[in-house]
Amino acid sequence: MKITRYKKVQKYLKFYYNNFGFHQPYQVLIDGTFCFSAFKEHIAIREQLTKYLNGSVKLLTTRCIIKETEKIAKKTHGALTILKQFGIHDCNHKQPVSGSQCILSMVGKKNDKHYILATQDRDLQEKMRLKPGVPLLYLHNKSPTLEKPSPASYSKAGHTLEANPFMFISQTQNESLKNMKKTLGVEEKEEVSKVVIKKKKLKNPNPLSCKKKKKRPGKKQDEKKDKVIEGRVKKRKKSKHKNVLSQSSIQQ
Ligand SMILES: [Zn+2]
């Protein structure tokens, strides 16, 4: 899979995760048209979708969809075989309705069960785009493709299509981070700790680095300075403990 394709689908899934509570295993509601295309193009649905969505998937259909596909069984025998492998979600239609009608009622107004709809039916896709939070999946040139979230989904989520979604997220995240820091008092603590470190440096020049100076009296001043700085960085950890000891011994 191309990287851009992979990034796109992950971006869309994240959008549905953040704004509509989609999670793994993804419930993919599959109709006869999708199966028919998959059969025609020789596509292993489960394998391809797992790979494409990069997560576990639950492949589902309904009795109405199976009934509808059975009616035109001569043309769609392969599709029917594929359909029957999937889990059957109860749609509560005692009298079977058409596949698209059944799907519309399964998704309902809010798509509470977080179905990802896999269909090649353009009319059904058009109807689903009007409902926020219904991801659409279809086969395009043998490749499963998750459609970009519809304007209805974006507006429900408080996004606008024109605005860069990343900007929006980072701004809100920044604000919430600031608020969190304020309520936790994290900012103040950070400042205090910085001051303490500075004071320590001023009070305790490293005694080990001073010794080094004496060992090399013949060198130029600039070089000496460099060596001193290096010595400080290297020996800081060890010297801390010794400093404390020497301090306490001086005080005594
Ligand atoms: Zn039904």
Side-chain angles (χ1 to χ4, degrees), residues 62 64 91 93 97 102:
T62 69
C64 297
C91 61
H93 294 128
V97 295
C102 185

Side-chain angles (χ1 to χ4, degrees), residues 62-65 91-93 95-98 102-103 105-106:
T62 69
R63 283 200 181 81
C64 297
I65 292 170
C91 61
N92 293 321
H93 294 128
Q95 289 293 322
V97 295
S98 76
C102 185
I103 287 168
S105 76
M106 290 280 282

Side-chain angles (χ1 to χ4, degrees), residues 35-69:
C35 283
F36 186 62
S37 277
F39 177 71
K40 221 170 64 180
E41 305 283 2
H42 306 286
I43 285 166
I45 295 179
R46 184 179 299 279
E47 196 189 317
Q48 288 293 312
L49 292 191
T50 307
K51 206 171 154 190
Y52 178 60
L53 299 175
N54 192 28
S56 57
V57 293
K58 241 184 188 175
L59 306 178
L60 307 161
T61 191
T62 69
R63 283 200 181 81
C64 297
I65 292 170
I66 290 175
K67 274 265 154 51
E68 188 187 57
T69 313

Side-chain angles (χ1 to χ4, degrees), residues 28-32 34-35 38 43-46 49 58-62 65-66 79-89 118:
V28 186
L29 185 57
I30 298 173
D31 79 347
F34 188 86
C35 283
I43 285 166
I45 295 179
R46 184 179 299 279
L49 292 191
K58 241 184 188 175
L59 306 178
L60 307 161
T61 191
T62 69
I65 292 170
I66 290 175
L80 189 64
T81 322
I82 297 172
L83 259 183
K84 284 184 173 173
Q85 296 170 1
F86 304 149
I88 295 174
H89 260 206

